[in-house]
Amino acid sequence: MTKSDTVTDTAGEIERISALASTHGATTIADVVVQKIAGLAAREISGVHDLGGGAARAFNAIRDRIPGASASIGQGVSVEVGEKQAAVDLQLVVEYGVSIADLARAVRRNVITAIERMTGLEVVEVNIAVNDIHIPSDDDLDRGPDTTRVQ
């Protein structure tokens, strides 16, 4: 069965059948599943530095320092999942110099494709909020050999 097939009922009207429901039962997909798919798909696009707002990223930085703790894949992603459709909101931090319009198009396309392919849900919208631009700091640049006087 494809994402949605059509059937004709006894009255001759055409109705849609979801790929997640059949005569043998229904499949439900938790919000967190769609949230993780969207987060991973967004991070696949070159130019996306991180997801989430400032507070979420600060909390993640602290969590990264705790042994055994893991970062949330769904950070910066909120979703609304219905029986047949899903809507996604993303908060992005982009790399400096990247075209935000082109990046948003690529992220939107990748998120929609990943969710629809993996879940069978129709993605009705992907809203993108760019919260920050990552500018490489002096710590990120290669400084070459250590030139300090005292060791």
Side-chain angles (χ1 to χ4, degrees):
M1 194 185 297
T2 61
K3 186 172 97 174
S4 61
D5 293 329
T6 57
V7 294
T8 306
D9 66 7
T10 55
E13 294 184 19
I14 296 177
E15 45 178 88
R16 294 246 180 236
I17 298 178
S18 169
L20 299 174
S22 73
T23 57
H24 299 286
T27 303
T28 57
I29 298 173
D31 291 7
V32 70
V33 173
V34 176
Q35 182 184 31
K36 286 181 179 183
I37 293 168
L40 290 168
R43 284 178 174 88
E44 289 176 350
I45 303 301
S46 178
V48 173
H49 177 73
D50 203 356
L51 273 72
R57 290 194 330 264
F59 179 72
N60 237 11
I62 293 168
R63 184 175 38 201
D64 287 345
R65 290 184 172 87
I66 300 170
S70 61
S72 172
I73 294 171
Q75 171 187 307
V77 182
S78 61
V79 298
E80 187 177 334
V81 180
E83 291 179 20
K84 299 177 184 178
Q85 298 178 328
V88 179
D89 295 322
L90 298 170
Q91 295 180 22
L92 300 182
V93 178
V94 301
E95 295 288 345
Y96 175 76
V98 173
S99 166
I100 294 174
D102 292 343
L103 180 69
R105 269 191 294 278
V107 167
R108 190 171 284 115
R109 182 175 41 249
N110 205 46
V111 167
I112 290 170
T113 301
I115 292 171
E116 289 184 348
R117 181 178 45 82
M118 291 184 68
T119 67
L121 293 167
E122 175 189 8
V123 178
V124 293
E125 65 182 24
V126 176
N127 298 310
I128 297 173
V130 177
N131 290 337
D132 202 356
I133 294 178
H134 176 257
I135 301 170
S137 67
D138 292 341
D139 296 334
D140 294 339
L141 300 174
D142 182 13
R143 295 178 186 239
D146 187 14
T147 58
T148 59
R149 296 186 320 160
V150 181
Q151 293 188 7

